[in-house]
Amino acid sequence: MRQGSVRGEGPLDSDPHAGEQGLDQDRFGEEDEGEPPRRSGRRPRRESGRARGPRRKRRIFRWIAGSLTVLVLAAAGLGYFYYEYLNNRIDTEQLPDDNRAPEATPNAAGQTPLNILVIGSDARDTEANQKLGGAKETFGGTPLADVQMLVHLSADRSNMSVISMPRDTLVEVPQCRDEKNDKTYPASNGRMMTNETLGRGGAACTVLTWEKLTGIRINHFMMVDFAGVVSMADAIGGVPVCVDANIHSRDSQGHGSGLRLEKGTTNIKGEQALQWLRTRYGFEDGSDIGRAKAQHMYMNSMVRELRENATLSNPGRLRSLAEEATDALTVDTGLDSVAKLYDLSKELRKVPPKHITMTTMPYEYQGARVVPKPDDAEQLFRLVREDIALDGDGGKKGGKGAGKKDSPEGEQEESADPKEPTSDDPAAQPAEIGVTVQNATGSDRQQAVQGRAHQVAQLLAGQGYSRATADNGATLSRARTTIRFPSAELEGDAQAVAKSLGLPMSSVRESKDVSTVTVVVGADWRSGEAPEQPKQDDRTPESADALNGADESACMHVDPNFTWE
């Protein structure tokens, strides 16, 4: 049958499904308004142009709408699969469940700070990591947490503080559980290097160790290896860094990262960025302290780059950064999706560089290693615990400032301090608690008060602590009076002693340096029945070597033994 013989007749035109499915014959070009009328004895059923026009347009619109719907659904499907693809690239580990530091108390506005532990692993568990890290004999060995930085985001998101801990810091490591290998590591007998924590239960053990040392509750962790640093540095597009002389980090024995830069500012990325972050030989005095300072400069510069350049507005670079970040990072299960990482990045981006402060934990040498400097380190940790800004605003930006309100007289009043956390373990009766008292009332400017330990022991005895004794052999010097206890089962006893002496719960800390509840009488209690209440000092210790995030003039000092002409 010729096609012309059915033109305009009922079957195709009356098919109810053709129009619904967008199968209008007109769209194939079969309509020809210039065709002469057919010769037939009956009147042709052809409709007028006025009638056919709207009908044809409706069919075309239906077809276009259907096609667009398919395209939108296809795009959404591709977006979903890409989103899932990125999610599947993220490795996760669980945060520890027990023996955690107390949760931060919300400020008056109900906001809480956010603490993230950033860990740089020296794992040589892949070919890429082995090539970048060298030391072939360590392939597949136990990884070390060679970079550790605590990032503190204030409750009101107005400032950010970072504390670096040198990898050779000696700390007390708590009992840790390795879930992957179904193994439990006992608490360290004394101090050990902090970078060994990663091999005693993964990032969770590093988190527990930080919490034990600082009393700061850590909400999340992010861990990256050698290859991850290189890939993310490439995705960002480079970070400018500065040295005050030509540098080549390599000595005659082959020690050093291999970093080679000319004097001045250089945009580094890829393997060169990793070399910068690992360089110890050639920076400052060749110690981990100098390396931490270089890492701070890199992070500050990277933050400025991410805020100022086109990386976050360039779709190609943004996609590359997303892919590299999700593949490079191991995070806790609370950050196990792109959406959660994106939300975290939005929170971090609220802080301008001028309110970002990089610090190094105050330290003192113990042989070839370092230990936290007793008073300065605790001061820095306290500022972070209390959400006080390190940028010189003295708490006006963090939790303290957010906790203030106008009084009727127009003066500023600080809200009442929250109840201090106490142990769930009940204390024994005072007569059953063994207490040792040590005299640490001396300082650089004055001698220790003779017999002070005996005086405080007698004071305790008068309050029912009949087993309190003085340790006259201790030679210590502490600015603040503290109470130490050796294990969790004695925490309640130590807190009871603190309460009896009028000391805050924050002065009570666990320590493997003692064998019983121990009162260390500091220079703040040289006389009387209670320690002096000095004016609160909310300044960042000078020994923290603070670096402001907006300081673009920072430049690493090069050891003359590692320069070149």
Side-chain angles (χ1 to χ4, degrees), residues 145-209:
D146 272 359
V147 175
Q148 297 177 37
M149 294 184 180
L150 179 64
V151 178
H152 171 82
L153 185 61
S154 68
D156 63 1
R157 306 304 190 250
S158 66
N159 68 84
M160 186 190 305
S161 305
V162 179
I163 303 177
S164 287
M165 186 188 299
R167 66 171 185 171
D168 292 344
T169 302
L170 297 175
V171 294
E172 294 173 355
V173 179
Q175 175 178 296
C176 294
R177 174 73 181 164
D178 185 345
E179 296 293 345
K180 289 183 179 179
N181 299 312
D182 191 25
K183 183 177 181 180
T184 298
Y185 292 87
S188 62
N189 185 15
R191 289 171 167 171
M192 61 187 297
M193 282 172 52
T194 185
N195 66 346
E196 296 179 34
T197 55
L198 201 57
R200 295 171 61 88
C205 190
T206 309
V207 167
L208 276 180
T209 301

Side-chain angles (χ1 to χ4, degrees), residues 500-557:
S500 297
L501 294 175
L503 295 170
M505 293 299 112
S506 59
S507 66
V508 179
R509 302 297 296 276
E510 185 177 353
S511 173
K512 290 296 186 293
D513 291 338
V514 298
S515 57
T516 187
V517 175
T518 302
V519 179
V520 183
V521 184
D524 60 339
W525 198 8
R526 294 175 61 85
S527 63
E529 295 187 355
E532 298 175 7
Q533 298 298 324
K535 183 178 178 181
Q536 188 87 313
D537 183 2
D538 290 343
R539 293 175 297 179
T540 302
E542 290 187 10
S543 55
D545 199 16
L547 177 66
N548 187 271
D551 184 359
E552 299 185 36
S553 65
C555 204
M556 282 303 296
H557 174 63

